[in-house]
Amino acid sequence: MPSGNDFIKDPAKRHVRPEGNPGGDFPYVQLNFDDSSWEKINLPHDWAIKGPFQIGPNPEVGGGMGRLPVNGVAWYRKKLDISVSDAGKSIFLDVDGAMSYAIVWLNGQLVGGWPYGYNSFRLDLTPFIKFGGENQLAFRVDNPNHSARWYPGAGLYRNVWLTKTNPVHVGQWGTTVTTKDISKTSATINLAITIDNDSKTDATIEAVTEIYALDAEGKSTGKAVIRFATLKSKVIAGESVKLETSVILRNPKLWGPPPTQQPNLYATVTTLLQSGKSIDTYETRFGIRSLEFNPDKGIFVNNERIFLKGVNQHHDLGALGAAFNIRAAERQLEILREMGCNAIRFAHNPPAPELLELTDRMGFLVIDEIFDSWERKKTPHDFHLIFPEWSEPDTRAFVRRDRNCPSVIIWSFGNEVGEQYTDEAGAAVAKRLYDFVKEEDPTRPTTIAMNYAKSDMPLPLVPDVIGLNYQGEGIRQSLEFEGTERIRTAPQYDIFHAKFPNKVIISTETASAFSSRGIYLFPVSKEISSPVRDGRGGDSKICQVSSYELYAVDFGSSVDKVFGSLERHPFVAGEFVWNGFDYLGEPTPYYEARSSYSGMIDLAGFKKDRFYLYQSHWHPELPMVQILPHWNWPERVGEVTPVHVFTSGDEAELFLNGKSLGKKKKEEYEYRLRWDDVVYQPGELKVVAYKNGQKWTEEVVKTSGEAFALKATADRNDISADGKDLSFITVQITDKDGLMVPRTNNRIEFSIEGPGEIVATDNGDSYNLESFSSHQRDAFNGLALVIIRSESGKPGKITVKAKSGSLKETRIEILSK
Ligand code: GAL
């Protein structure tokens, strides 16, 4: 397909449209095809998420891809009314992402397509449009099985836009805003605009660009703060011009990450004028910030050193699947921020554009990443199949779309690629991709995440920033791995730092620690980090991992071990933990399950204990203390039941039923306080935390009574009646006194009244294989989640009820406005 040709530099390499009109005689592309029996859907839409999950030992789609039916072909059809008054305009279909191998026909004519499911693309509908009548759009997507190491989602899972412009218009992603010489008092803002003339006559245009300040919601405020000098140019018929200009802005409000800085945003608004008449306006969001990458000291944003407290995030939104929803993504970022997280690596593919709008507005620092594989495959049907034809257009399109986002600070063009193993040949592939990125954006550094390549190999010579996955802490260093043929690596930070004194090092993946919320297994490892095994943090019969937060994948490390290793290597600029939220697919160590165990927050968005371990270290000024485990162990009376405490304090005293079990202090490179000899008696555990000798905060955990009632709370009680907004409602099982009962898994039934619908339910259990669309859900260790959505244009009161057998039922009201 020639749809990517704008992103292929060498004309000889551009793609040629296939002869004739392939697919033109297929019934689904015809205007008169009767689609009345087809399902009516709204975009964004993920056709695989409703399931059912594929159960049993040999599913067609395995645990790796989430046991959901993502494979196969789907068709989408939509009728477009294009009025006669649009004749002469250019009409585009802008697709934010289609999973995958998208092909589009309009009125039976092949328009184009794009194979890689994560990239955004534009198709020109103009030549195929019938002005003043009904137009039939038909969209085919084809998802191969074994295409990813996680759940990819399926279908038109991001927004699709119809864009109408004057034939003379700002091109697709046609502006580049860069900033330099930045201080509190002044900044230089450079603007480049590409203007396309799709018409048959030459045009003379003027381009007027003003800059507006944006508010926290991303809306422009007040009058323009400055205007660029007017640009004038002739644009020859069928061609493009690129115009450049710059201004100096006094007293710029800088963009930077909270809590120490503010993510102030601006937008350029470009108006094209022809004979004095406005023919196009184009808005570009940007931020003004200086970045410095210092190999010894790390990353500086506006001259302040910012240690990257980052997480990796996959693109699915849990029970909502891959179908993008702004509120669901915003909620994830809010929860991550509460933990002290300031950076996100989008693993291993570009996110929805609205997600970068959120990171821009909220002030997260982002690694924007494009590939999990190059020429060498990881799964039989991954990107390697199309790498020769599509690596250039995909890489350039990715950078061109996102290069104005201030939150993006590093481009990553590969994760743990097979080319790590092919020396010079692999490095040559890397260099080719590196050059594409740099040609599109010379202002930002690049990285590749390496879990194998060593400092004396050719690959790390290529990227600007060294990205290490797990190698910093060392891989499989314990005795049990001696003699294994799998990767074994001594700790690498010092070795890479010595070899590349001019490159910043980032841990692009750390930890891969595992746990299941609310599950505690005994005995508890004395080591600070242990691979999961049956009887050592894991139980393969129930497919759960202990929440003592000491257990990791074989090649990973516990949180405590990573913290220690990073503090011993202060030149490392930060870490991106594998990972933030649990995601669909890749349920290591139990492939019977549907979703990961490595998140610090479970798939439903409930915090695991690990969340608090990160919070204690990443958010040190927040007085907090977390005790684990829960204290409901009737079968352990008289048995040793270790108690661990995560706190932002430096010392704590533990009491069991009023009796002190001693005060403990964190030693250097210690991140938890542990009382490993506590003998279980029901009652009350209380911890009093201290910081610098002063009382800091305290916390109590009590043995609860029997399950008695349900209790519902919502993340937001007011939502907007736009048919998109969501409320995430948590239902707890409590005892008579309102205490959560930790080990209850009662079945809960949800119902709804008023202008809203139940979109999905979940409980965060990786091994729960009930369809997300079910209105019933077993609680998992006391909690369940129901997600409701407003109805478009129908404000009013929504009532959600939850009941469970003889337990006292609960109801909650959500106002849709
Ligand atoms: C890494 C990989 C991630 C994920 C993780 C799981 O090696 O880059 O995509 O698979 O391991 O532990």
Side-chain angles (χ1 to χ4, degrees):
M1 289 291 182
S3 321
N5 282 353
D6 284 352
F7 305 92
I8 301 174
K9 204 166 154 195
D10 176 358
K13 293 199 172 132
R14 295 200 179 131
H15 304 166
V16 180
R17 192 186 155 89
E19 296 275 311
N21 183 34
D25 53 356
F26 200 72
Y28 300 166
V29 310
Q30 313 299 332
L31 180 66
N32 59 7
F33 173 76
D34 178 10
D35 57 15
S36 56
S37 65
W38 287 26
E39 188 184 350
K40 269 205 175 128
I41 56 98
N42 283 318
L43 300 187
H45 174 248
D46 175 351
W47 53 261
I49 193 64
K50 67 180 177 203
F53 284 103
Q54 300 183 356
I55 298 175
N58 293 307
E60 190 183 357
V61 180
M65 281 173 65
R67 290 182 171 260
L68 284 163
V70 284
N71 55 321
V73 172
W75 284 85
Y76 292 83
R77 282 166 56 90
K78 183 171 176 71
K79 293 211 169 25
L80 304 172
D81 267 322
I82 309 284
S83 107
V84 183
S85 62
D86 286 331
K89 287 187 181 158
S90 292
I91 304 206
F92 302 103
L93 194 68
D94 284 321
V95 182
D96 289 349
M99 190 64 70
S100 53
Y101 290 93
I103 312 180
V104 174
W105 289 260
L106 188 74
N107 300 327
Q109 297 294 307
L110 177 68
V111 179
W114 199 284
Y116 192 41
Y118 295 103
N119 254 353
S120 301
F121 60 97
R122 163 171 279 191
L123 299 177
D124 186 2
L125 301 180
T126 324
F128 312 102
I129 294 261
K130 203 165 82 201
F131 291 94
E134 237 179 18
N135 289 266
Q136 180 63 54
L137 190 68
F139 226 117
R140 180 189 191 271
V141 276
D142 184 357
N143 252 15
N145 200 352
H146 310 294
S147 63
R149 301 184 297 110
W150 55 84
Y151 173 73
L156 301 185
Y157 74 110
R158 289 182 183 162
N159 281 308
V160 178
W161 310 91
L162 188 71
T163 307
K164 301 179 187 174
T165 69
N166 187 286
V168 181
H169 58 97
V170 176
Q172 180 198 18
W173 307 319
T175 52
T176 316
V177 183
T178 54
T179 56
K180 62 171 196 184
D181 305 329
I182 295 155
S183 70
K184 286 200 173 104
T185 52
S186 150
T188 302
I189 299 163
N190 302 314
L191 169 71
I193 315 171
T194 300
I195 300 165
D196 295 347
N197 182 352
D198 300 340
S199 78
K200 294 204 165 60
T201 44
D202 297 351
T204 301
I205 51 95
E206 288 183 335
V208 177
T209 302
E210 295 182 316
I211 296 179
Y212 289 83
L214 302 185
D215 65 15
E217 262 76 61
K219 308 253 161 17
S220 66
T221 57
K223 288 206 211 100
V225 293
I226 201 164
R227 171 193 277 239
F228 291 85
T230 301
L231 297 164
K232 286 192 186 151
S233 179
K234 185 170 171 184
V235 198
I236 295 174
E239 294 191 9
S240 301
V241 286
K242 186 170 171 187
L243 308 176
E244 292 182 61
T245 176
S246 67
V247 284
I248 293 177
L249 181 67
R250 300 282 163 211
N251 304 317
K253 289 196 171 132
L254 303 186
W255 184 98
T260 49
Q261 301 187 34
Q262 288 300 313
N264 295 301
L265 289 171
Y266 290 96
T268 57
V269 178
T270 300
T271 306
L272 298 189
L273 301 153
Q274 198 173 18
S275 311
K277 199 177 134 232
S278 158
I279 54 167
D280 192 24
T281 57
Y282 192 95
E283 190 175 318
T284 307
R285 183 181 71 249
F286 73 102
I288 303 169
R289 45 133 182 80
S290 69
L291 284 179
E292 189 203 331
F293 285 72
N294 181 313
D296 296 315
K297 295 184 182 148
I299 294 172
F300 290 74
V301 183
N302 302 322
N303 303 320
E304 182 193 1
R305 191 204 178 202
I306 305 285
F307 185 79
L308 300 177
K309 303 167 180 176
V311 300
N312 283 277
Q313 284 282 94
H314 264 309
H315 73 308
D316 74 68
L317 295 165
L320 303 172
F324 186 75
N325 177 285
I326 293 182
R327 174 55 203 161
E330 181 184 53
R331 169 182 178 251
Q332 292 196 332
L333 295 177
E334 285 169 0
I335 295 171
L336 291 169
R337 165 141 300 158
E338 193 190 326
M339 188 171 61
C341 166
N342 64 9
I344 315 276
R345 172 175 176 240
F346 289 114
H348 304 292
N349 33 256
E354 295 92 342
L355 188 42
L356 285 172
E357 192 178 333
L358 285 170
T359 54
D360 281 353
R361 273 171 40 203
M362 295 173 78
F364 284 89
L365 303 169
V366 165
I367 297 185
D368 203 354
E369 182 163 89
I370 172 123
F371 296 128
D372 191 49
S373 56
W374 297 345
E375 286 174 343
R376 289 171 64 98
K377 68 173 172 227
K378 289 186 181 171
T379 59
H381 299 140
D382 67 19
F383 193 80
H384 81 280
L385 293 176
I386 51 172
F387 189 88
E389 297 85 12
W390 284 91
S391 51
E392 178 176 356
D394 271 310
T395 306
R396 290 186 190 274
F398 148 72
V399 177
R400 231 177 272 180
R401 189 194 75 172
D402 295 345
R403 65 187 165 189
N404 294 318
C405 295
S407 57
V408 175
I409 61 164
I410 298 172
W411 303 111
S412 167
F413 55 97
N415 174 61
E416 299 187 350
V417 291
E419 284 75 1
Q420 291 177 106
Y421 299 83
T422 58
D423 297 322
E424 294 295 348
V429 180
K431 181 65 172 66
R432 194 175 143 258
L433 297 171
Y434 174 90
D435 288 344
F436 297 150
V437 175
K438 288 293 188 177
E439 280 174 30
E440 296 295 327
D441 176 23
T443 71
R444 290 179 182 83
T446 61
T447 196
I448 310 172
M450 299 175 288
N451 69 329
Y452 174 79
K454 298 292 168 304
S455 64
D456 55 356
M457 295 181 183
L459 193 76
L461 290 166
V462 179
D464 308 298
V465 168
I466 299 290
L468 298 180
N469 285 7
Y470 312 102
Q471 298 203 61
E473 283 65 54
I475 296 175
R476 293 194 186 87
Q477 287 300 283
S478 59
L479 285 178
E480 72 187 274
F481 294 110
E482 240 169 54
T484 176
E485 289 189 353
R486 314 190 68 190
I487 300 175
R488 279 196 86 204
T489 306
Q492 292 293 310
Y493 289 133
D494 290 321
I495 299 169
F496 270 90
H497 191 48
K499 179 76 188 214
F500 295 104
N502 298 323
K503 294 194 185 198
V504 160
I505 298 177
I506 289 175
S507 229
T508 29
E509 282 182 41
T510 55
S512 258
F514 296 141
S515 49
S516 310
R517 177 184 51 77
I519 297 281
Y520 302 90
L521 303 174
F522 304 92
V524 174
S525 166
K526 298 276 178 222
E527 310 293 322
I528 65 157
S529 184
S530 165
V532 178
R533 298 283 183 268
D534 269 353
R536 233 205 292 166
D539 185 340
S540 57
K541 281 200 211 72
I542 55 169
C543 295
Q544 304 295 357
V545 183
S546 177
S547 280
Y548 273 94
E549 307 298 6
L550 295 162
Y551 308 99
V553 72
D554 283 9
F555 55 78
S557 300
S558 72
V559 182
D560 309 59
K561 187 171 160 195
V562 175
F563 284 162
S565 136
L566 289 169
E567 289 204 322
R568 287 180 178 96
H569 300 95
F571 56 84
V572 177
E575 66 166 321
F576 289 84
V577 178
W578 195 270
N579 72 313
F581 276 69
D582 271 333
Y583 52 97
L584 290 163
E586 210 185 24
T588 320
Y590 305 121
Y591 268 62
E592 296 89 322
R594 60 166 203 200
S595 50
S596 72
Y597 295 80
S598 50
M600 28 182 105
I601 299 147
D602 74 19
L603 200 77
F606 301 139
K607 296 159 188 161
K608 301 184 189 176
D609 290 305
R610 206 158 359 116
F611 173 98
Y612 298 99
L613 185 48
Y614 283 102
Q615 190 181 52
S616 69
H617 190 59
W618 283 358
H619 210 327
E621 69 288 358
L622 178 81
M624 58 73 62
V625 56
Q626 170 82 356
I627 306 177
L628 57 124
H630 61 72
W631 213 235
N632 276 45
W633 301 104
E635 76 280 23
R636 299 187 66 81
V637 175
E639 281 184 52
V640 169
T641 305
V643 174
H644 291 193
V645 164
F646 304 151
T647 177
S648 49
D650 47 28
E651 204 178 353
E653 184 166 12
L654 181 70
F655 300 86
L656 175 57
N657 295 328
K659 185 170 166 269
S660 174
L661 301 182
K663 224 176 184 182
K664 305 221 178 217
K665 203 176 166 78
K666 284 186 203 164
E667 301 297 327
E668 201 182 8
Y669 307 124
E670 272 183 5
Y671 306 93
R672 69 173 68 200
L673 296 167
R674 50 197 292 180
W675 285 259
D676 279 330
D677 305 323
V678 179
V679 176
Y680 179 77
Q681 292 297 334
E684 180 188 285
L685 273 179
K686 176 174 161 181
V687 67
V688 182
Y690 297 84
K691 192 164 188 161
N692 303 321
Q694 303 286 315
K695 185 171 164 190
W696 181 237
T697 183
E698 62 177 53
E699 178 69 20
V700 169
V701 169
K702 287 183 188 162
T703 308
S704 79
E706 300 280 295
F708 174 76
L710 299 177
K711 185 162 96 188
T713 46
D715 70 329
R716 288 183 317 149
N717 294 83
D718 284 3
I719 59 177
S720 55
D722 60 3
K724 297 187 179 111
D725 205 1
L726 305 172
S727 184
F728 290 80
I729 299 169
T730 300
V731 174
Q732 275 189 34
I733 299 177
T734 71
D735 68 5
K736 269 204 170 79
D737 301 325
L739 265 190
M740 189 180 91
V741 188
R743 291 163 85 181
T744 41
N745 295 340
N746 304 41
R747 193 156 181 79
I748 303 176
E749 216 173 289
F750 300 95
S751 58
I752 188 165
E753 278 164 32
E757 59 173 324
I758 292 176
V759 203
T761 60
D762 190 17
N763 61 13
D765 174 3
S766 309
Y767 192 34
N768 186 293
L769 298 175
E770 178 161 15
S771 162
F772 290 122
S773 51
S774 170
H775 290 195
Q776 300 190 7
R777 178 77 41 187
D778 294 344
F780 180 56
N781 295 320
L783 297 179
L785 175 79
V786 52
I787 307 170
I788 65 141
R789 181 166 51 210
S790 63
E791 276 180 42
S792 176
K794 291 193 193 159
K797 197 166 74 185
I798 303 169
T799 308
V800 179
K801 268 198 252 172
K803 58 180 191 181
S804 175
S806 60
L807 302 186
K808 193 167 159 228
E809 66 178 50
T810 181
R811 63 170 61 206
I812 185 167
E813 277 172 10
I814 307 295
L815 201 56
S816 181
K817 299 202 262 201

